[in-house]
Amino acid sequence: MNFFVQHNSLRDLYEKVAAGERISEDDALRLFESKDINAVGAIADLARQRKVGNRASYIINRYVNYSNYCILSCQFCSFARKKRDADGFEFSVEQIVQKAREALSIGITELHIVGGLHPSLPFSYYTDMLKALRALDARLQLKCFTAIEILHLAWLGKRSVEQTLRELKDAGLDSLTGGGAEIFRKEVRSAIAKGKESAEEYLDVHRIWHRLGGRSTCTMLFGHVESLADRVDHLRYLRNLQDETKGYVGFVALPYQPDNNDIPVKTPPTGFDTLRTIAISRIYLDNFDHITAYWVGMGMKLAQVALSYGADDLHGTIIEEHIFHMAGAQSPQLQTEADMVKAIREAGRTPVQRNTFYEPIKVWEPAPTATDAEPPAGKSKMLEGNLATA
C-alpha cells in the first residue's frame, strides 16, 4: 500500500479501490474535501494503472472552428460573436477542406470540428462539409459537434434528434465531441450558460448517439461558481449514462478560463484543484477507460504531472485552438508529435499514438530507466523518466 495512503484517513477508500469496489458520491466528496493531494493521487494512480498499465496516449489531430457566430450569449463564453462584431468569422466548406488537406500532409488522423450556433447556415452546410471531408480521405476520423449543436441542427432541419444524428452519421460523422456539458446542476447552468440545453437534453443527445452505435467523449467545466458537491453530481450523471450505454470512450476535465467573459471569478482553478479533479474523476468514473489531461487548459507541465494523478492521455497536437485561448489560455496553439512523446516519456510513461476512440495506432519504446544505460563519465545523470528534469 502507498505510504501516503497507509497513514491517513483515506486508507479505507484506497482499500475499496484496490478491491475493485465502486466509490459512492459521499466518498467522492470526501476526496474533494481532503487536503492530502498525494493520497488522492495515489488512489487515482492505482485506478489508472489497473485500466491502462504504464501507457499514456496522444492523438495527432487538428481543431477547426467553422464559425464563431452564435445565437446564444453564454456568460462564460469568450468565443461567440454576433454578426455585427468585427471579429466574427465563418468558413466555407471549401476553406475547411483546404485546412484538412494541409493537416493531412503532416499526418493527422482526426479533425475536431465545433462552432457556434450559427443563425443562418442551412442544414445542408453541415452534411456537405462532412461528405467533402470524408471524400478527402476515408481514413480521416471526423469528431464533430457538441450536443447543443446537434439540438440546433435538429431545430434548423426540422428533424428529430435521432434523425439528425442518423443523417450526420450517413454523411461521415464518426464521433460526437463532449463539449458543452459545463456543470449539470440547473442552478449553476443558469448562472453560467443561460439558454443553453439542460443536463437532460445534453445526456439524451449522447444517449441516442450511443444507441445508434456511435461513440463520444464527455467533459466537465470546473472552477467557476460551482461547489464541490456540484462536481460530484455532474460525475454521477456521466457514470450513470455510461452504465446504461457504455458509449463514452473518455472523459476530459476542463479548467475554467476566466478572461473576456461575464462570470466574475477572481481565482481560476489552481494546479492543486486541477490535479485533484482529474484524480477524483479517475477514481469515481470506474466505468470509463480513459481520462484526458487537456494540456491546452492547464499547460503541458501540469498535464505531465496529471499523468501521475489518474490521467492517461494528453489529448492532441491541436494545431489551431480558439475557444480556450480567447478566454485567456496562455498555452501554445499546438504541440508537435515529438513534443507529445517527449512529455509522456518525461513522466515515466510509454507513449502511444491513438485514434479518436483511444485505440492504439503506434506504441513507442518506453522511456529509458536507470538500469538501461549509464550516463557518460563526468556528466550528471538526468533520466527522461524523471519529472524533476522536466
Side-chain angles (χ1 to χ4, degrees):
M1 180 181 297
N2 186 282
F3 176 83
F4 292 113
V5 177
Q6 189 173 8
H7 298 282
N8 69 35
S9 60
L10 299 180
R11 178 173 179 171
D12 61 315
L13 297 186
Y14 186 97
E15 291 174 343
K16 183 179 283 192
V17 172
E21 298 175 16
R22 170 167 281 190
I23 71 166
S24 67
E25 288 74 55
D26 287 342
D27 292 335
L29 191 56
R30 255 181 76 197
L31 290 167
F32 267 117
E33 291 171 345
S34 172
K35 300 302 181 185
D36 193 342
I37 188 66
N38 290 316
V40 174
I43 300 170
D45 202 48
L46 171 66
R48 176 204 57 78
Q49 178 75 21
R50 289 187 160 195
K51 288 284 187 182
V52 300
N54 202 47
R55 293 183 173 188
S57 58
Y58 66 92
I59 187 168
I60 304 178
N61 65 349
R62 169 161 193 162
Y63 273 28
V64 176
N65 300 121
Y66 55 85
S67 175
N68 65 346
Y69 292 128
C70 188
I71 62 175
L72 295 180
S73 299
C74 298
Q75 297 94 312
F76 75 91
C77 183
S78 309
F79 173 73
R81 296 293 185 270
K82 303 303 181 187
K83 279 285 192 175
R84 62 181 176 272
D85 295 325
D87 55 348
F89 68 86
E90 67 182 57
F91 293 122
S92 67
V93 170
E94 291 75 19
Q95 287 173 310
I96 294 172
V97 168
Q98 181 57 32
K99 285 178 178 285
R101 186 179 290 113
E102 293 167 357
L104 279 167
S105 69
I106 61 170
I108 69 161
T109 65
E110 174 192 275
L111 279 179
H112 185 291
I113 301 175
V114 296
L117 306 190
H118 196 286
S120 58
L121 287 174
F123 185 83
S124 59
Y125 169 89
Y126 303 91
T127 52
D128 288 348
M129 174 178 65
L130 291 170
K131 290 174 183 176
L133 292 170
R134 175 60 65 234
L136 191 60
D137 190 326
R139 298 167 298 176
L140 183 62
Q141 293 179 314
L142 303 178
K143 183 177 181 179
C144 313
F145 313 128
T146 62
I148 188 63
E149 286 176 271
I150 296 300
L151 291 168
H152 177 68
L153 295 183
W155 171 81
L156 188 69
K158 297 180 173 57
R159 295 159 168 82
S160 68
V161 169
E162 180 174 341
Q163 186 57 36
T164 299
L165 288 169
R166 286 185 182 275
E167 291 192 37
L168 293 173
K169 188 175 184 181
D170 289 343
L173 180 64
D174 290 302
S175 174
L176 287 183
T177 76
E182 323 313 357
I183 288 289
F184 287 143
R185 190 177 294 280
K186 183 179 179 181
E187 293 78 8
V188 175
R189 213 166 179 78
S190 296
I192 69 169
K194 192 172 183 179
K196 207 167 190 179
E197 86 276 33
S198 67
E200 291 74 18
E201 288 172 321
Y202 174 96
L203 293 164
D204 200 47
V205 168
H206 285 265
R207 177 181 289 109
I208 293 169
W209 177 245
H210 295 168
R211 287 177 178 172
L212 292 175
R215 296 293 178 263
S216 58
T217 51
C218 55
T219 60
M220 176 174 70
L221 183 70
F222 69 93
H224 38 87
V225 301
E226 88 286 2
S227 67
L228 297 178
D230 292 335
R231 296 185 197 180
V232 175
D233 179 69
H234 185 97
L235 295 174
R236 177 180 61 84
Y237 275 105
L238 295 177
R239 190 168 77 172
N240 287 347
L241 183 58
Q242 183 72 336
D243 278 342
E244 178 186 336
T245 69
K246 299 178 176 58
Y248 285 125
V249 294
F251 169 78
V252 189
L254 300 172
Y256 173 71
Q257 305 295 315
D259 293 351
N260 306 318
N261 59 55
D262 297 326
I263 301 179
V265 175
K266 293 181 180 179
T267 306
T270 61
F272 176 95
D273 193 18
T274 298
L275 289 178
R276 71 171 174 177
T277 301
I278 288 173
I280 295 163
S281 299
R282 172 62 289 163
I283 299 163
Y284 183 82
L285 297 175
D286 57 358
N287 51 4
F288 280 67
D289 288 335
H290 302 286
I291 304 293
T292 288
Y294 188 53
W295 65 262
V296 174
M298 66 183 74
M300 183 57 81
K301 289 185 183 298
L302 190 60
Q304 282 181 298
V305 179
L307 294 178
S308 295
Y309 284 79
D312 67 282
D313 179 76
L314 291 182
H315 208 278
T317 51
I318 305 294
I319 298 179
E320 182 181 13
E321 197 282 336
H322 291 291
I323 296 174
F324 266 64
H325 284 88
M326 290 173 75
Q330 298 300 308
S331 56
Q333 282 280 352
L334 61 88
Q335 299 284 347
T336 66
E337 182 178 22
D339 292 332
M340 304 295 276
V341 170
K342 180 175 182 288
I344 291 169
R345 280 181 167 160
E346 286 177 345
R349 303 280 180 258
T350 300
V352 178
Q353 182 193 350
R354 66 167 174 90
N355 67 11
T356 296
F357 306 111
Y358 290 76
E359 297 164 338
I361 295 174
K362 176 170 58 179
V363 180
W364 292 78
E365 289 294 320
T369 65
T371 57
D372 289 333
E374 289 298 321
K379 294 191 176 182
S380 62
K381 192 172 185 178
M382 295 180 67
L383 301 177
E384 258 189 308
N386 185 354
L387 263 178
T389 68

